[in-house]
Amino acid sequence: MAAAIVLLGTGAAAAGLALVGGTSADIGPFDTTVALAPDVDGETVVNIPPLGDIVFDSHDGPIALNLSLDSIDPVEAQTIMNTPDGFTVAAQNLASDVTDAVIRVVVEALAIVTLCGLLVGALAFRNMRRALLTGVTSLAVTAALVGFAAGTLRTESISQPRYEGLLTYAPSVVGSAENIAENYEEYVGDLQQIVTNISGFYTLAMDMPQVGIQDNSIRVLHVSDLHLNPNAWHLMETVVGQFDIDAVADTGDLNDWGSEQEAEIFSQGVAQIDAPYVFVKGNHDSATTVAALSAYDNVVILDGEVREIAGLRIGGVADPTFTPDKGSLPSSDYVARMLTESGERLAGAIEEAGGADLAMVHEPPMAEPLAGVVPLVLAGHMHERSVEDLGDGTTLMVEGSTGAAGLRHFTSSSTMKMEMDVLYFDPVTKALTAYDSISVGAGDETDVTLDRTVIPTDEQVEGDELQGGAESTAPQQD
């Protein structure tokens, strides 16, 4: 009978640990969830969504300590950044914060495994004394495991972390942990200034000459190359509301590495956009990226077809390459051939559909086969805004990086801006009549500029002009 009690008590301890939920704790400027879990290796895992995990070989098993950084308090983070010796003081307080959180989660775990042992003992033996002994056994086993983990604690492991997920690239892309915190806070500071300044966009636009822009113009917001910058979603959300945008055209590179974590976490921002969100895959986007985006009702994924959205016939094709790792690129000739073939595939789809008002690709070379097929091609990839005449009545508009290149912003010697364009289309002819080029400073610069370009009437090109007036057979988007 004693052996049965020990066996059930040990099993109940393991089950109780598996059932232990996390406890919320304030650790430095972070709102954190701290939890214990059965684990053979006995590691400490710090999860930083959507970037991945930092793993420390902090102790021996069979219990792991998991910390998830749920959010950051921007006010407290700013205080740390701006206070002399702020990082030193924060580091000193961090140890006590973690210790307090671990003590709380251990107490909760001991209580839960004891309760689990009592319940298992009561069900198995239907005897109060044996149930109590089973509960005490669960408590004793768990306490022994915690004690063993504490006894094998290796404080030096804090200087030898292992990175998983996107954080595998963090040391080379971003730098030290202190720089990561600074960069995160820089994003937050940018956002606050952007939200303050962006409200003036609409007034600024309304003060400009309204030649070529009708009240009922179809308005499309062209964005590209967000590269995981969370500010991009907030900026787009504000512009969509201020400019009464009918649809957003995203020409790719939403992510950096195309990982599942990026896709699931960062794509959630698209739910903030109150307009149809038309997307073509970039070379940094994976099939996982596309699948995560397509789960949202307002998202339209284009890959070799024409859809009618917000009154415009829009064609699009995915970038055929997936090259987040610049160290393993295919040959330039092969890439060029792939890009041309994708552009040709889209040209064929547009001709089969009877024409289109605009096309979307990621890399500019993909636009070359579309000359004479569609009046306007939108692209990205270059992180630099440009407008080019492809000939035969076709204009190529390349967008800058709406995400200011994301993490690359912090490693670039040049100053980048968050860029996007509001395109105005005639509601009858569907020709592009004007566009507003919006630039928002990133990092230390937070200036906001808006430049309007009005296209003369005799230079406006209709999609049907290039298709000989053929009727469109594009499927409708509700």
Side-chain angles (χ1 to χ4, degrees):
M1 185 58 66
I5 291 175
V6 171
L7 182 62
L8 284 176
T10 302
L17 281 176
L19 293 174
V20 171
T23 183
S24 297
D26 294 328
I27 298 179
F30 297 100
D31 294 328
T32 308
T33 299
V34 183
L36 296 178
D39 188 277
V40 174
D41 296 324
E43 299 172 323
T44 295
V45 180
V46 180
N47 177 249
I48 309 176
L51 300 178
D53 297 331
I54 304 176
V55 183
F56 302 96
D57 185 20
S58 56
H59 59 276
D60 294 332
I63 293 178
L65 177 65
N66 298 325
L67 297 89
S68 178
L69 306 186
D70 302 321
S71 63
I72 186 172
D73 182 342
V75 176
E76 185 172 351
Q78 185 68 56
T79 300
I80 293 173
M81 302 289 294
N82 295 334
T83 302
D85 299 326
F87 279 105
T88 301
V89 174
Q92 293 172 348
N93 294 335
L94 200 63
S96 61
D97 290 343
V98 172
T99 300
D100 291 344
V102 171
I103 290 174
R104 286 208 311 274
V105 76
V106 167
V107 171
E108 291 179 9
L110 292 174
I112 290 174
V113 298
T114 302
L115 179 59
C116 188
L118 290 172
L119 291 175
V120 170
L123 290 174
F125 300 116
R126 300 186 183 278
N127 179 284
M128 182 64 72
R129 179 175 174 275
R130 292 173 181 170
L132 181 60
L133 288 174
T134 306
V136 170
T137 301
S138 296
L139 173 62
V141 169
T142 305
L145 294 178
V146 171
F148 176 76
T152 59
L153 182 64
R154 292 180 287 274
T155 56
E156 69 275 8
S157 66
I158 193 71
S159 62
Q160 299 172 340
R162 183 176 80 250
Y163 297 98
E164 296 180 353
L166 286 180
L167 287 175
T168 302
Y169 310 96
S172 59
V173 174
V174 182
S176 67
E178 181 175 314
N179 286 335
I180 293 175
E182 290 176 351
N183 293 342
Y184 192 99
E185 178 54 29
E186 194 168 337
Y187 270 145
V188 175
D190 289 350
L191 176 57
Q192 183 177 3
Q193 189 64 46
I194 288 169
V195 171
T196 300
N197 291 346
I198 196 68
S199 60
F201 270 162
Y202 190 73
T203 301
L204 180 61
M206 292 305 99
D207 288 341
M208 289 186 169
Q210 296 301 299
V211 176
I213 298 179
Q214 305 177 42
D215 289 341
N216 60 344
S217 291
I218 301 173
R219 304 178 182 211
V220 174
L221 178 63
H222 181 202
V223 301
S224 191
D225 298 86
L226 273 63
H227 286 295
L228 296 178
N229 187 339
N231 286 347
W233 291 123
H234 299 285
L235 180 57
M236 282 190 285
E237 180 183 19
T238 303
V239 172
V240 166
Q242 293 283 4
F243 284 76
D244 195 21
I245 297 297
D246 296 296
V248 176
D250 185 339
T251 47
D253 275 3
L254 188 82
N255 291 166
D256 260 349
W257 300 94
S259 70
E260 183 176 351
Q261 287 178 310
E262 287 176 290
E264 291 183 357
I265 302 298
F266 189 69
S267 64
Q268 294 175 9
V270 78
Q272 301 172 210
I273 309 303
D274 188 19
Y277 195 92
V278 191
F279 180 81
V280 293
K281 171 192 166 306
N283 63 300
H284 282 261
D285 301 314
S286 65
T288 303
T289 305
V290 174
L293 269 180
S294 63
Y296 294 89
D297 293 338
N298 63 322
V299 173
V300 178
I301 306 293
L302 294 180
D303 186 10
E305 66 267 314
V306 178
R307 301 283 294 274
E308 184 165 319
I309 301 161
L312 295 174
R313 297 167 299 173
I314 304 177
V317 69
D319 191 313
T321 65
F322 177 54
T323 55
D325 183 0
K326 296 302 182 184
S328 59
L329 291 175
S331 69
S332 57
D333 290 342
Y334 179 69
V335 169
R337 187 166 64 251
M338 291 175 67
L339 297 178
T340 298
E341 289 175 353
S342 290
E344 291 172 347
R345 181 162 71 94
L346 178 57
I350 291 174
E351 291 172 347
E352 183 178 352
D357 302 305
L358 71 149
M360 296 170 56
V361 298
H362 179 63
E363 300 192 43
M366 300 170 68
E368 295 175 5
L370 297 167
V373 177
V374 64
L376 177 64
V377 184
L378 306 181
H381 185 66
M382 304 305 294
H383 295 190
E384 184 175 354
R385 180 186 279 136
S386 65
V387 179
E388 177 185 350
D389 182 6
L390 293 180
D392 299 323
T394 299
T395 298
L396 169 64
M397 296 186 69
V398 179
E399 190 56 81
S401 174
T402 306
L407 289 177
R408 292 168 181 77
H409 162 72
F410 299 108
T411 59
S412 174
S413 58
S414 60
T415 301
M416 297 201 68
K417 296 181 181 294
M418 302 173 68
E419 296 182 325
M420 58 184 65
D421 282 71
V422 178
L423 313 178
Y424 299 89
F425 294 87
D426 186 290
V428 177
T429 67
K430 311 302 172 63
L432 180 69
T433 62
Y435 57 92
D436 291 336
S437 297
I438 298 172
S439 299
V440 177
D444 295 333
E445 298 184 10
T446 54
D447 59 300
V448 177
T449 60
L450 185 151
D451 297 317
R452 172 162 295 169
T453 301
V454 177
I455 300 173
T457 303
D458 59 354
E459 296 181 12
Q460 297 175 12
V461 181
E462 303 174 25
D464 286 341
E465 291 179 3
L466 300 183
Q467 296 294 323
E471 293 295 326
S472 171
T473 58
Q476 302 292 310
Q477 168 68 17
D478 296 332

